[in-house]
């Protein structure tokens, strides 16, 4: 049985897409190719993490007070170096850097785009060989070309995104990215070192039977969240419940599974952390953009994630993202209990 088929590389795919848009300059596609190069360099280290000095803590904390892992720093440096030398990017913002970085060479100041990224997502899973990832999002600048980019370029709401994506370093390495044209997945073919189209036109099912949440925090949840979890665990054969609980603890891996199988991922606000844990600009917005482009939905429990106006680079927001019907149901529970608690 021959398993080979004509491979379409990411380069070929992005060039084909550019041809469909006469006005397209190819800069966005070039930026995607730059990001894929940086992720190939990260992938090389991830694949042999136990054998090279890339496991463990770096010995510093980031602006959010989180311990940085060596692979967080390595991945951050790879992305910054590739994007700084690419002529396609005016500047970056990253989970691992306090402030944005504007590239001030003569090419970068004339680039139309800025990139935000979570260089290594799922840091708590690095040392235990569970799937981890990189998350990125691309905005067109609002600041004038010909000068370094500014903070405003990085504090745009998600509904202004041009493209967003992630790379998952798992049993295979995949790059999935979304534009307003749709969502496509590419698998790294190690023998040619190229990402090749493997999951064209990805769609997020309207409903699924997986719920993904760190239930270890449930003692801190408000009534609405507790009631929704009861709903997920309730025995109701007609409605396909109880749902299965799946939680890898890497947002990239949990969202990738739900994108393919259907499901809901929730990192709510709670009594301990009212804003939740995940960051709006380089975790929640890119996934909201990808999942919506695939037909799903994302909110902070009340508002569409993509319509939230960012005020800080590293701000956190609650997130309910995934299959449309499941997010709507979770919103019903949250709203119902918000009304009750408002009255009482
Ligand atoms: O351990 P918790 O509290 O469930 O948090 C897990 C979440 O934290 C994260 O690891 C945060 O991302 P980073 O690893 O990039 O800091 C997410 O990937 C994941 O969904
Ligand atoms: Mg992360
Ligand atoms: Mg991270």
């Amino acid at each position: 049985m021959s398993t080979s088929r004509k491979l379409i590389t990411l380069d070929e795919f992005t060039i084909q897409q550019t041809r469909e848009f006469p006005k397209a300059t190819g800069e966005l596609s070039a930026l995607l190719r730059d990001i894929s190069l940086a992720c190939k360099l990260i992938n090389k280290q991830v694949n042999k993490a136990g054998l090279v000095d890339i496991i463990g803590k770096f010995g510093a904390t980031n602006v959010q007070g989180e311990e940085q892992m060596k692979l967080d720093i390595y991945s951050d440096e790879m992305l910054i170096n590739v994007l700084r030398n690419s002529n396609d990017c005016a500047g970056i913002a990253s989970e691992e850097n306090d402030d944005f970085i504007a590239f001030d060479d003569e090419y970068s100041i004339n680039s139309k785009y800025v990139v935000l990224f979570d260089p290594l997502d799922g840091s708590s899973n690095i040392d235990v060989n569970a799937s981890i990832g990189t998350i990125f999002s691309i905005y067109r600048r609002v600041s004038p070309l010909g000068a370094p980019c500014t903070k405003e370029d990085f504090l745009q709401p998600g509904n202004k995104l041009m493209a967003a994506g992630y790379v998952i370093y798992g049993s295979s390495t995949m790059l999935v990215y979304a534009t307003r044209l749709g969502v496509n997945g590419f698998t790294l073919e190690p023998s040619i070192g190229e990402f090749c189209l493997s999951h064209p036109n990805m769609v997020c099912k309207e409903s699924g039977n997986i719920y993904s949440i760190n239930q270890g925090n449930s003692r801190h949840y408000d009534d609405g969240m507790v009631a929704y979890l009861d709903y997920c665990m309730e025995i109701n054969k007609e409605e396909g419940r109880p749902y299965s609980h799946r939680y890898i603890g890497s947002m990239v891996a949990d969202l990738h599974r739900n994108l393919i199988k259907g499901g809901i991922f929730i990192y709510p606000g709670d009594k301990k952390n009212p804003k939740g844990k995940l960051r709006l600009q380089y975790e929640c917005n890119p996934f909201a953009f990808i999942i919506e482009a695939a037909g799903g939905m994302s909110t902070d429990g009340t508002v569409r994630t993509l319509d939230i106006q960012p005020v800080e680079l590293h701000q956190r927001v609650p997130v309910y993202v995934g299959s449309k019907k499941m997010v709507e149901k979770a919103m019903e529970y949250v709203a119902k209990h918000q009304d009750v608690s408002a009255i009482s």
Side-chain angles (χ1 to χ4, degrees):
M1 181 181 83
S2 142
T3 57
S4 66
R5 59 179 181 190
K6 162 106 182 62
L7 294 179
I8 300 172
T9 66
L10 177 68
D11 292 12
E12 289 166 329
F13 184 86
T14 53
I15 291 164
Q16 268 165 17
Q17 287 223 318
T18 312
R19 287 197 186 123
E20 283 166 32
F21 294 84
K23 286 212 193 85
T25 60
E27 278 172 82
L28 187 61
S29 308
L31 203 43
L32 274 165
R33 294 198 290 271
D34 301 327
I35 293 168
S36 75
L37 169 62
C39 293
K40 286 181 205 172
L41 296 169
I42 297 167
N43 182 59
K44 235 166 119 242
Q45 294 302 322
V46 169
N47 280 352
K48 57 183 179 184
L51 298 173
V52 285
D53 182 24
I54 203 108
I55 287 259
K57 296 187 176 128
F58 179 70
T61 56
N62 62 21
V63 65
Q64 297 141 70
E66 290 167 343
E67 278 228 82
Q68 292 174 309
M69 305 296 280
K70 288 179 185 164
L71 203 51
D72 286 325
I73 301 299
Y74 177 84
S75 308
D76 192 50
E77 284 169 1
M78 285 307 109
L79 281 153
I80 294 174
N81 292 346
V82 168
L83 291 170
R84 187 194 293 283
N85 302 321
S86 73
N87 298 349
D88 309 315
C89 179
I92 66 99
S94 155
E95 176 190 4
E96 304 306 338
N97 291 271
D98 300 10
D99 209 346
F100 71 97
I101 300 172
F103 301 147
D104 53 12
D105 62 276
E106 60 177 307
Y107 299 102
S108 302
I109 61 173
N110 287 303
S111 299
K112 284 193 296 207
Y113 301 109
V114 294
V115 180
L116 294 94
F117 52 80
D118 176 351
L120 203 288
D121 179 65
S123 306
S124 62
N125 279 327
I126 293 171
D127 296 359
V128 295
N129 211 350
S131 296
I132 51 182
T134 293
I135 312 170
F136 63 88
S137 54
I138 301 172
Y139 286 97
R140 183 192 287 269
R141 291 172 63 174
V142 289
S143 63
L145 302 191
C149 60
T150 62
K151 190 135 206 171
E152 289 60 50
D153 295 318
F154 299 93
L155 293 180
Q156 301 182 59
N159 55 36
K160 293 278 187 262
L161 278 166
M162 298 300 295
Y166 59 88
V167 172
I168 178 166
Y169 311 106
S171 43
S172 68
T173 297
M174 273 190 72
L175 180 149
V176 173
Y177 84 93
T179 63
R180 291 179 203 290
L181 298 177
V183 183
N184 292 282
F186 302 77
T187 300
L188 186 61
E189 210 309 348
S191 66
I192 59 172
E194 291 291 346
F195 283 105
C196 300
L197 186 63
S198 54
H199 297 65
N201 304 319
M202 298 174 84
V203 171
C204 180
K205 294 192 177 86
E206 239 199 352
S207 202
N209 68 350
I210 290 173
Y211 73 107
S212 186
I213 186 169
N214 183 343
Q215 260 177 270
N217 295 333
S218 54
R219 286 274 181 280
H220 304 290
Y221 292 161
D222 60 25
D223 300 348
M225 203 57 249
V226 172
Y228 178 66
L229 291 183
D230 285 344
Y231 168 85
C232 293
M233 294 184 274
E234 191 182 52
I235 299 173
N236 181 326
K237 277 217 164 60
E238 288 77 50
E239 295 182 9
R241 286 180 284 124
Y243 295 148
S244 297
H245 181 245
R246 293 282 181 278
Y247 191 71
I248 298 167
S250 298
M251 186 182 194
V252 165
D254 283 311
L255 267 285
H256 183 68
R257 180 205 48 244
N258 289 3
L259 174 57
I260 289 177
K261 290 196 163 187
I264 185 170
F265 172 89
I266 307 174
Y267 209 110
D270 61 30
K271 295 175 191 117
K272 200 173 73 181
N273 301 308
K275 294 271 180 225
K277 175 180 182 176
L278 301 172
R279 283 55 59 114
L280 175 61
Q281 284 308 79
Y282 43 80
E283 289 171 322
C284 301
N285 260 335
F287 272 112
F289 185 84
I290 296 161
I291 294 292
E292 277 204 17
M297 187 175 173
S298 180
T299 80
D300 69 350
T302 318
V303 181
R304 180 181 177 231
T305 306
L306 295 177
D307 293 340
I308 298 171
Q309 175 54 51
V311 288
E312 281 165 39
L313 216 42
H314 303 285
Q315 75 185 78
R316 301 172 194 263
V317 289
V319 64
Y320 299 70
V321 56
S323 296
K324 199 164 180 300
K325 289 202 173 141
M326 298 180 84
V327 175
E328 285 167 347
K329 179 58 79 177
M331 298 269 286
E332 267 175 42
Y333 275 84
V334 171
K336 204 171 0 179
H337 289 269
Q338 268 167 356
D339 300 346
V340 173
S341 55
I343 302 163
S344 53

